Amino acid sequence: MLVLDYIQVSMLSAASHATAPLCGHTVYLLPTLQADCVICCRLGDQNDTSRQPEMGKGECLMLETPANAKKSRSDFVAEQLEEAVINGDIPAGSRLDETSIAAQFGVSRTPVREALHILCGRGLAEREPYKGVVVIQISAQRIDEMFEAMAELEATCGRLSSHRMTMSERAELESMHREMNALADEGDHEAYNEINTRFHSLLFQGSHNSDLISAAQTLRLKLAPFRKYQLKDKGRLKRSCREHQQIVDAILDQDPKAAENALRRHLVSAAQEVLLKRQRQEDEAAAKSHL
């Protein structure tokens, strides 16, 4: 059985994910904010332990990570790795090498260590004895289970928030919804995702139940990469806004049952989007492998 051996080889500017031939190998461009990491994939024997998948193996010629005033270096690195894992650019079983990733992003090992801790906390990777941090296999069933749990937590938060939210909290929720509508029209998924996180966090806070807030925030952190992933489609942004309108209306009307149902449907919709997008990518990858 053959496996992919990941070797960093260069740094190129590119607008989106792409593939290209290089020295007889396949090159994958992993998106970052301003440039793409070029990774050369070659086939190796699974029984050869010296050639197991490893993120960050080989010479690194990557430029320094672009500055981002809103994100810490560890958050930036974590986001790039999360996206690559969810997109399948870094497959299950790949080892995330701390030293090489630090060189790749032009940062010290400290923010990389923190980034890998974030990935492990969100269930995208785990620490294995004698191997370090390794990307784990995330099944469709596991994704479905997390969204199901999140749907029930958010539905409960919505039911309580419908009659516990203060007037200022309700006004802020409506204001964020209007702002997200404008961002959806522009197709600005990055800004939309940031406000969307605050929107749902406000719904948690509106329940005014500290244990429920803590449980919801913990699970939301695990689902954050997947929720961001499904919002990259402009059509999904529009549908998300329509679903948010139902949530906001229920909260403003102080209708607990409507708020509960609207939030549950919203999370089911998000889960379906993630799973469908994931299936499409797997089908495309399978089709390419037969070419």
Side-chain angles (χ1 to χ4, degrees):
M1 183 175 179
L2 298 176
V3 296
L4 293 178
D5 185 16
Y6 284 76
I7 306 174
Q8 294 169 242
V9 294
S10 184
M11 182 76 176
L12 295 176
S13 176
S16 61
H17 176 273
T19 61
L22 179 67
C23 302
H25 304 307
T26 301
V27 175
Y28 289 84
L29 305 181
L30 301 188
T32 59
L33 288 182
Q34 294 182 351
D36 292 328
C37 169
V38 182
I39 294 182
C40 175
C41 302
R42 68 184 180 190
L43 295 177
D45 189 339
Q46 190 180 29
N47 296 321
D48 183 357
T49 58
S50 67
R51 297 181 65 178
Q52 290 295 314
E54 178 179 324
M55 174 64 181
K57 184 178 179 181
E59 183 183 2
C60 178
L61 302 176
M62 297 194 71
L63 302 178
E64 186 175 352
T65 301
N68 189 322
K70 293 184 179 180
K71 293 185 178 75
S72 68
R73 290 179 177 180
S74 57
D75 287 337
F76 171 77
V77 174
E79 284 187 6
Q80 302 310 305
L81 294 176
E82 284 169 354
E83 183 173 349
V85 169
I86 293 171
N87 285 342
D89 295 317
I90 304 178
S94 299
R95 187 170 74 87
L96 303 179
D97 181 68
E98 187 178 296
T99 302
S100 298
I101 293 173
Q104 170 186 329
F105 286 98
V107 297
S108 68
R109 292 176 61 181
T110 298
V112 174
R113 193 175 301 119
E114 293 169 354
L116 296 182
H117 181 72
I118 291 172
L119 261 68
C120 291
R122 291 181 177 176
L124 297 176
E126 62 184 6
R127 296 186 182 278
E128 294 187 6
Y130 310 112
K131 286 187 178 181
V133 179
V134 177
V135 175
I136 66 172
Q137 179 67 48
I138 306 166
S139 66
Q141 180 182 351
R142 176 58 182 149
I143 294 172
D144 188 59
E145 288 173 352
M146 287 192 291
F147 270 101
E148 180 182 46
M150 191 78 255
E152 294 307 311
L153 281 171
E154 292 215 26
T156 301
C157 286
R159 175 169 53 81
L160 296 176
S161 294
S162 67
H163 57 86
R164 291 185 181 181
M165 266 188 162
T166 64
M167 291 300 293
S168 61
E169 286 173 332
R170 293 173 199 272
E172 185 180 358
L173 191 74
E174 189 174 22
S175 175
M176 282 192 284
H177 174 53
R178 286 197 299 268
E179 191 173 354
M180 279 189 287
N181 273 326
L183 292 170
D185 288 337
E186 297 169 5
D188 189 344
H189 62 86
E190 287 286 348
Y192 186 98
N193 182 65
E194 289 183 12
I195 300 176
N196 184 56
T197 299
R198 287 164 43 208
F199 178 89
H200 284 272
S201 293
L202 182 57
L203 287 168
F204 304 159
Q205 297 295 330
S207 70
H208 294 277
N209 181 308
S210 59
D211 290 314
L212 189 56
I213 293 167
S214 177
Q217 293 286 21
T218 297
L219 186 52
R220 181 169 179 81
L221 283 173
K222 285 190 174 183
L223 276 173
F226 297 97
R227 295 180 82 157
K228 180 179 181 181
Y229 170 70
Q230 54 97 27
L231 288 173
K232 290 194 172 183
D233 177 71
K234 190 172 183 179
R236 175 55 192 158
L237 291 182
K238 292 285 190 179
R239 291 192 296 276
S240 177
C241 281
R242 291 194 293 269
E243 293 162 9
H244 282 173
Q245 185 65 63
Q246 296 175 341
I247 295 167
V248 171
D249 287 345
I251 295 294
L252 296 181
D253 292 342
Q254 298 186 38
D255 186 335
K257 193 63 179 176
E260 181 179 35
N261 289 338
L263 275 156
R264 188 176 287 112
R265 285 194 300 268
H266 181 51
L267 269 294
V268 168
S269 177
Q272 290 174 339
E273 190 72 23
V274 169
L275 293 172
L276 284 173
K277 192 171 182 179
R278 178 188 173 101
Q279 187 60 54
R280 284 196 298 269
Q281 287 186 329
E282 290 177 353
D283 291 344
E284 289 172 2
K288 287 179 180 178
S289 68
H290 289 95
L291 294 178

